[in-house]
mmCIF file of all heavy atoms in Angstrom:
data_model
loop_
_atom_site.group_PDB
_atom_site.id
_atom_site.type_symbol
_atom_site.label_atom_id
_atom_site.label_comp_id
_atom_site.label_asym_id
_atom_site.label_seq_id
_atom_site.Cartn_x
_atom_site.Cartn_y
_atom_site.Cartn_z
ATOM 1 N N GLY A 247 114.664 102.563 99.945
ATOM 2 C CA GLY A 247 113.721 102.452 100.990
ATOM 3 C C GLY A 247 112.360 101.856 100.624
ATOM 4 O O GLY A 247 111.460 101.861 101.385
ATOM 5 N N THR A 248 112.284 101.161 99.430
ATOM 6 C CA THR A 248 111.041 100.589 99.014
ATOM 7 C C THR A 248 110.451 99.642 99.969
ATOM 8 O O THR A 248 109.305 99.560 100.233
ATOM 9 C CB THR A 248 111.126 100.015 97.604
ATOM 10 O OG1 THR A 248 111.694 100.943 96.720
ATOM 11 C CG2 THR A 248 109.836 99.445 97.101
ATOM 12 N N THR A 249 111.294 98.720 100.473
ATOM 13 C CA THR A 249 110.874 97.709 101.450
ATOM 14 C C THR A 249 110.289 98.357 102.688
ATOM 15 O O THR A 249 109.276 97.914 103.123
ATOM 16 C CB THR A 249 112.031 96.729 101.793
ATOM 17 O OG1 THR A 249 112.646 96.182 100.696
ATOM 18 C CG2 THR A 249 111.580 95.701 102.752
ATOM 19 N N GLY A 250 111.008 99.381 103.228
ATOM 20 C CA GLY A 250 110.450 100.086 104.363
ATOM 21 C C GLY A 250 109.124 100.721 104.123
ATOM 22 O O GLY A 250 108.218 100.682 104.917
ATOM 23 N N GLU A 251 108.925 101.367 102.966
ATOM 24 C CA GLU A 251 107.674 102.022 102.637
ATOM 25 C C GLU A 251 106.479 100.902 102.538
ATOM 26 O O GLU A 251 105.367 101.136 103.079
ATOM 27 C CB GLU A 251 107.680 102.794 101.369
ATOM 28 C CG GLU A 251 106.375 103.533 101.104
ATOM 29 C CD GLU A 251 106.459 104.470 99.895
ATOM 30 O OE1 GLU A 251 107.358 104.279 99.077
ATOM 31 O OE2 GLU A 251 105.557 105.306 99.836
ATOM 32 N N ALA A 252 106.840 99.741 101.890
ATOM 33 C CA ALA A 252 105.841 98.679 101.711
ATOM 34 C C ALA A 252 105.414 98.163 103.145
ATOM 35 O O ALA A 252 104.334 97.855 103.376
ATOM 36 C CB ALA A 252 106.404 97.606 100.902
ATOM 37 N N ALA A 253 106.501 98.028 104.038
ATOM 38 C CA ALA A 253 106.199 97.588 105.339
ATOM 39 C C ALA A 253 105.419 98.575 106.160
ATOM 40 O O ALA A 253 104.341 98.263 106.756
ATOM 41 C CB ALA A 253 107.503 97.316 106.102
ATOM 42 N N ALA A 254 105.789 99.848 106.126
ATOM 43 C CA ALA A 254 105.158 100.833 106.889
ATOM 44 C C ALA A 254 103.640 101.072 106.491
ATOM 45 O O ALA A 254 102.789 101.207 107.195
ATOM 46 C CB ALA A 254 105.898 102.223 106.813
ATOM 47 N N LYS A 255 103.411 101.004 105.161
ATOM 48 C CA LYS A 255 102.146 101.209 104.603
ATOM 49 C C LYS A 255 101.240 100.121 104.941
ATOM 50 O O LYS A 255 99.908 100.295 104.949
ATOM 51 C CB LYS A 255 102.285 101.269 102.995
ATOM 52 C CG LYS A 255 101.027 101.688 102.287
ATOM 53 C CD LYS A 255 101.411 101.954 100.813
ATOM 54 C CE LYS A 255 100.200 102.379 100.065
ATOM 55 N NZ LYS A 255 99.307 101.316 99.799
ATOM 56 N N ASN A 256 101.773 98.959 105.350
ATOM 57 C CA ASN A 256 100.918 97.774 105.656
ATOM 58 C C ASN A 256 101.116 97.344 107.118
ATOM 59 O O ASN A 256 100.847 96.232 107.530
ATOM 60 C CB ASN A 256 101.254 96.606 104.752
ATOM 61 C CG ASN A 256 100.774 96.932 103.324
ATOM 62 O OD1 ASN A 256 99.624 96.772 103.029
ATOM 63 N ND2 ASN A 256 101.757 97.381 102.421
ATOM 64 N N ASP A 257 101.498 98.327 107.957
ATOM 65 C CA ASP A 257 101.530 98.180 109.447
ATOM 66 C C ASP A 257 102.467 97.102 109.967
ATOM 67 O O ASP A 257 102.215 96.432 110.876
ATOM 68 C CB ASP A 257 100.106 97.836 109.987
ATOM 69 C CG ASP A 257 99.142 98.953 109.633
ATOM 70 O OD1 ASP A 257 99.442 100.093 109.806
ATOM 71 O OD2 ASP A 257 98.008 98.644 109.292
ATOM 72 N N ARG A 258 103.585 96.947 109.265
ATOM 73 C CA ARG A 258 104.674 96.122 109.665
ATOM 74 C C ARG A 258 105.808 97.037 110.230
ATOM 75 O O ARG A 258 106.032 98.088 109.810
ATOM 76 C CB ARG A 258 105.286 95.326 108.593
ATOM 77 C CG ARG A 258 104.569 93.959 108.243
ATOM 78 C CD ARG A 258 103.148 94.153 107.681
ATOM 79 N NE ARG A 258 102.755 92.873 107.077
ATOM 80 C CZ ARG A 258 101.419 92.711 106.723
ATOM 81 N NH1 ARG A 258 100.608 93.693 106.807
ATOM 82 N NH2 ARG A 258 101.034 91.561 106.180
ATOM 83 N N ARG A 259 106.547 96.470 111.246
ATOM 84 C CA ARG A 259 107.748 97.166 111.715
ATOM 85 C C ARG A 259 108.886 96.824 110.663
ATOM 86 O O ARG A 259 108.870 95.909 109.913
ATOM 87 C CB ARG A 259 108.115 96.692 113.069
ATOM 88 C CG ARG A 259 107.102 96.964 114.118
ATOM 89 C CD ARG A 259 107.426 96.239 115.492
ATOM 90 N NE ARG A 259 107.366 94.772 115.282
ATOM 91 C CZ ARG A 259 108.239 93.912 115.856
ATOM 92 N NH1 ARG A 259 109.176 94.301 116.602
ATOM 93 N NH2 ARG A 259 108.005 92.656 115.674
ATOM 94 N N TYR A 260 110.022 97.610 110.752
ATOM 95 C CA TYR A 260 111.006 97.373 109.741
ATOM 96 C C TYR A 260 112.380 97.809 110.203
ATOM 97 O O TYR A 260 112.492 98.761 111.127
ATOM 98 C CB TYR A 260 110.710 98.090 108.415
ATOM 99 C CG TYR A 260 110.476 99.655 108.529
ATOM 100 C CD1 TYR A 260 111.600 100.492 108.565
ATOM 101 C CD2 TYR A 260 109.227 100.147 108.809
ATOM 102 C CE1 TYR A 260 111.345 101.903 108.699
ATOM 103 C CE2 TYR A 260 109.023 101.465 108.991
ATOM 104 C CZ TYR A 260 110.045 102.375 108.970
ATOM 105 O OH TYR A 260 109.886 103.705 109.101
ATOM 106 N N ILE A 261 113.420 97.183 109.772
ATOM 107 C CA ILE A 261 114.759 97.636 109.914
ATOM 108 C C ILE A 261 115.415 97.739 108.539
ATOM 109 O O ILE A 261 115.325 96.801 107.771
ATOM 110 C CB ILE A 261 115.572 96.712 110.806
ATOM 111 C CG1 ILE A 261 115.054 96.603 112.190
ATOM 112 C CG2 ILE A 261 117.050 97.123 110.900
ATOM 113 C CD1 ILE A 261 115.736 95.536 113.096
ATOM 114 N N LEU A 262 115.978 98.898 108.230
ATOM 115 C CA LEU A 262 116.595 99.182 106.994
ATOM 116 C C LEU A 262 118.050 99.533 107.130
ATOM 117 O O LEU A 262 118.331 100.437 107.953
ATOM 118 C CB LEU A 262 115.911 100.269 106.204
ATOM 119 C CG LEU A 262 114.377 100.167 105.907
ATOM 120 C CD1 LEU A 262 113.849 101.310 105.148
ATOM 121 C CD2 LEU A 262 114.012 98.821 105.148
ATOM 122 N N VAL A 263 118.969 98.888 106.518
ATOM 123 C CA VAL A 263 120.397 99.108 106.664
ATOM 124 C C VAL A 263 121.074 99.419 105.294
ATOM 125 O O VAL A 263 120.756 98.754 104.321
ATOM 126 C CB VAL A 263 121.104 97.911 107.294
ATOM 127 C CG1 VAL A 263 122.641 98.255 107.619
ATOM 128 C CG2 VAL A 263 120.316 97.375 108.566
ATOM 129 N N ASP A 264 121.875 100.471 105.278
ATOM 130 C CA ASP A 264 122.613 100.770 104.100
ATOM 131 C C ASP A 264 123.809 101.548 104.441
ATOM 132 O O ASP A 264 123.784 102.334 105.446
ATOM 133 C CB ASP A 264 121.769 101.567 103.085
ATOM 134 C CG ASP A 264 122.204 101.347 101.619
ATOM 135 O OD1 ASP A 264 123.325 101.781 101.315
ATOM 136 O OD2 ASP A 264 121.456 100.712 100.905
ATOM 137 N N ASN A 265 124.934 101.364 103.734
ATOM 138 C CA ASN A 265 126.127 102.197 104.000
ATOM 139 C C ASN A 265 126.311 103.357 103.049
ATOM 140 O O ASN A 265 127.387 103.916 102.983
ATOM 141 C CB ASN A 265 127.398 101.228 103.880
ATOM 142 C CG ASN A 265 127.635 100.689 102.542
ATOM 143 O OD1 ASN A 265 126.823 100.941 101.607
ATOM 144 N ND2 ASN A 265 128.842 100.035 102.340
ATOM 145 N N SER A 266 125.227 103.737 102.338
ATOM 146 C CA SER A 266 125.283 104.843 101.426
ATOM 147 C C SER A 266 124.558 105.979 102.174
ATOM 148 O O SER A 266 123.352 105.869 102.440
ATOM 149 C CB SER A 266 124.632 104.562 100.089
ATOM 150 O OG SER A 266 124.264 105.730 99.418
ATOM 151 N N ALA A 267 125.245 107.120 102.319
ATOM 152 C CA ALA A 267 124.597 108.289 102.892
ATOM 153 C C ALA A 267 123.403 108.762 101.995
ATOM 154 O O ALA A 267 122.343 109.195 102.545
ATOM 155 C CB ALA A 267 125.602 109.450 103.084
ATOM 156 N N GLU A 268 123.530 108.684 100.701
ATOM 157 C CA GLU A 268 122.472 109.135 99.849
ATOM 158 C C GLU A 268 121.256 108.207 99.980
ATOM 159 O O GLU A 268 120.128 108.704 100.092
ATOM 160 C CB GLU A 268 122.866 109.063 98.380
ATOM 161 C CG GLU A 268 121.872 109.392 97.422
ATOM 162 C CD GLU A 268 122.256 109.050 95.937
ATOM 163 O OE1 GLU A 268 123.232 108.380 95.747
ATOM 164 O OE2 GLU A 268 121.483 109.515 95.070
ATOM 165 N N ALA A 269 121.491 106.875 100.142
ATOM 166 C CA ALA A 269 120.356 106.006 100.364
ATOM 167 C C ALA A 269 119.665 106.241 101.620
ATOM 168 O O ALA A 269 118.390 106.328 101.653
ATOM 169 C CB ALA A 269 120.889 104.522 100.329
ATOM 170 N N ILE A 270 120.384 106.563 102.702
ATOM 171 C CA ILE A 270 119.755 106.846 103.999
ATOM 172 C C ILE A 270 118.920 108.124 103.892
ATOM 173 O O ILE A 270 117.834 108.289 104.472
ATOM 174 C CB ILE A 270 120.781 106.934 105.085
ATOM 175 C CG1 ILE A 270 121.493 105.575 105.195
ATOM 176 C CG2 ILE A 270 120.251 107.384 106.382
ATOM 177 C CD1 ILE A 270 120.561 104.429 105.563
ATOM 178 N N ARG A 271 119.523 109.177 103.244
ATOM 179 C CA ARG A 271 118.748 110.405 103.102
ATOM 180 C C ARG A 271 117.451 110.160 102.325
ATOM 181 O O ARG A 271 116.363 110.716 102.757
ATOM 182 C CB ARG A 271 119.508 111.440 102.390
ATOM 183 C CG ARG A 271 120.711 112.069 103.281
ATOM 184 C CD ARG A 271 121.266 113.367 102.591
ATOM 185 N NE ARG A 271 121.914 113.039 101.346
ATOM 186 C CZ ARG A 271 123.207 112.725 101.207
ATOM 187 N NH1 ARG A 271 123.947 112.758 102.428
ATOM 188 N NH2 ARG A 271 123.825 112.476 100.088
ATOM 189 N N VAL A 272 117.481 109.478 101.231
ATOM 190 C CA VAL A 272 116.301 109.256 100.387
ATOM 191 C C VAL A 272 115.310 108.441 101.227
ATOM 192 O O VAL A 272 114.118 108.701 101.251
ATOM 193 C CB VAL A 272 116.673 108.498 99.079
ATOM 194 C CG1 VAL A 272 115.482 107.956 98.389
ATOM 195 C CG2 VAL A 272 117.503 109.406 98.197
ATOM 196 N N THR A 273 115.780 107.424 101.941
ATOM 197 C CA THR A 273 114.839 106.585 102.737
ATOM 198 C C THR A 273 114.204 107.311 103.833
ATOM 199 O O THR A 273 112.988 107.206 104.055
ATOM 200 C CB THR A 273 115.726 105.371 103.294
ATOM 201 O OG1 THR A 273 116.157 104.600 102.172
ATOM 202 C CG2 THR A 273 114.853 104.512 104.232
ATOM 203 N N ALA A 274 114.948 108.169 104.580
ATOM 204 C CA ALA A 274 114.407 108.901 105.722
ATOM 205 C C ALA A 274 113.299 109.823 105.189
ATOM 206 O O ALA A 274 112.245 109.962 105.821
ATOM 207 C CB ALA A 274 115.482 109.645 106.392
#
Side-chain angles (χ1 to χ4, degrees):
T248 304
T249 304
E251 184 175 18
K255 190 169 179 284
N256 292 282
D257 300 317
R258 275 69 165 169
R259 296 171 297 141
Y260 57 87
I261 299 176
L262 306 179
V263 186
D264 208 292
N265 67 350
S266 161
E268 178 191 11
I270 296 299
R271 284 193 295 269
V272 169
T273 295

